[in-house]
Amino acid sequence: AQTVTQSQPEMSVQEAETVTLSCTYDTSESNYYLFWYKQPPSRQMILVIRQEAYKQQNATENRFSVNFQKAAKSFSLKISDSQLGDTAMYFCAFQTGNQFYFGTGTSLTVIP
Amino acid sequence: NAGVTQTPKFQVLKTGQSMTLQCAQDMNHEYMSWYRQDPGMGLRLIHYSVGAGITDQGEVPNGYNVSRSTTEDFPLRLLSAAPSQTSVYFCASSYSTWGLGQKRFFGPGTRLTVL
């Protein structure tokens, strides 16, 4: 069975600072994808970043980057220059084949 | 494009009632899926479809039926609602037939309460 664990239920960061959200996963699959999704109070799910397991290079999208450690099965999200609009729930997700698994989420608050 | 649309936005049912949650997309996506989101549990995959006429089970399929007669629509049916099905339901679609790695577009969600 695949599992995704987010061990930080809540986090806060000062505006303009950097914050890292943790995610670990467990799988015996060799081919998979990892994602971070953002869910603001509007409830809309928004893709932040994705990582292909066979790529060693860490994905980046503007202020968002990941630290993908395949051997450790770790996939953390770093948000640089945090903005008030980054306040949201963040979900780590794992996909293999057509199955998709989400973590329980981290609630991030950006403090002005 | 309207993207992924879901109706209704809110619904209250009594135990034992049936209903259908509607999901439609206008992006010609092959892959469509349904999730439920419960407090403290993240999203869990209920059913998915890789194309018209093809559906399969996800992590939590019990109590739900789906069908895919067209590329655009993927309704989720609750045959006999139970309080345990109180949740927020999301529909999502993506272009790739196999869904691997492709960007999923999510609908706005349906909040369902079963009394």
Side-chain angles (χ1 to χ4, degrees):
Chain A
Q2 335 291 342
T3 58
V4 179
T5 302
Q6 293 179 250
S7 59
Q8 305 153 314
E10 296 181 356
M11 295 190 71
S12 61
V13 62
Q14 291 290 138
E15 192 175 7
E17 297 295 308
T18 295
V19 65
T20 298
L21 309 183
S22 300
C23 173
T24 58
Y25 60 95
D26 188 23
T27 183
S28 58
E29 301 287 339
S30 58
N31 188 23
Y32 54 87
Y33 280 71
L34 294 159
F35 306 83
W36 279 98
Y37 279 88
K38 169 184 176 181
Q39 187 179 43
S42 67
R43 214 170 60 191
Q44 183 72 41
M45 293 291 288
I46 302 165
L47 178 65
V48 174
I49 200 166
R50 67 187 183 194
Q51 174 79 41
E52 298 161 34
Y54 61 87
K55 286 190 176 179
Q56 292 185 337
Q57 186 174 5
N58 289 327
T60 61
E61 288 286 344
N62 300 317
R63 298 184 293 108
F64 299 89
S65 61
V66 299
N67 183 5
F68 175 45
Q69 302 288 329
K70 191 172 183 179
K73 296 180 181 174
S74 170
F75 183 61
S76 59
L77 175 70
K78 185 172 80 171
I79 305 174
S80 304
D81 186 25
S82 296
Q83 300 175 359
L84 297 179
D86 295 334
T87 292
M89 281 290 289
Y90 286 81
F91 292 96
C92 179
F94 167 94
Q95 177 182 1
T96 181
N98 290 312
Q99 297 289 344
F100 216 75
Y101 302 91
F102 283 81
T104 52
T106 296
S107 177
L108 177 67
T109 301
V110 180
I111 303 167
Chain B
N1 287 351
V4 180
T5 58
Q6 290 183 238
T7 55
K9 285 188 169 54
F10 301 94
Q11 183 71 49
V12 178
L13 292 178
K14 293 182 180 178
T15 297
Q17 285 185 317
S18 63
M19 79 158 297
T20 300
L21 279 63
Q22 301 291 345
C23 174
Q25 52 88 11
D26 60 357
M27 298 173 282
N28 201 30
H29 283 174
E30 292 285 347
Y31 185 95
M32 296 186 73
S33 51
W34 277 102
Y35 301 84
R36 59 179 288 173
Q37 183 177 26
D38 301 303
M41 297 195 70
L43 278 75
R44 291 181 292 169
L45 181 63
I46 304 171
H47 285 287
Y48 66 91
S49 169
V50 299
I54 306 169
T55 63
D56 206 345
Q57 297 179 350
E59 186 181 359
V60 287
N62 293 340
Y64 307 95
N65 279 355
V66 293
S67 60
R68 183 98 177 269
S69 56
T70 66
T71 299
E72 294 77 19
D73 300 298
F74 190 45
L76 179 72
R77 281 182 287 275
L78 284 70
L79 297 180
S80 178
S84 61
Q85 294 178 304
T86 294
S87 188
V88 179
Y89 292 85
F90 288 95
C91 179
S93 73
S94 60
Y95 177 76
S96 168
T97 297
W98 296 105
L100 190 63
Q102 293 298 316
K103 178 179 179 179
R104 272 172 176 74
F105 293 79
F106 282 82
T110 294
R111 182 176 293 278
L112 175 68
T113 301
V114 183
L115 302 175

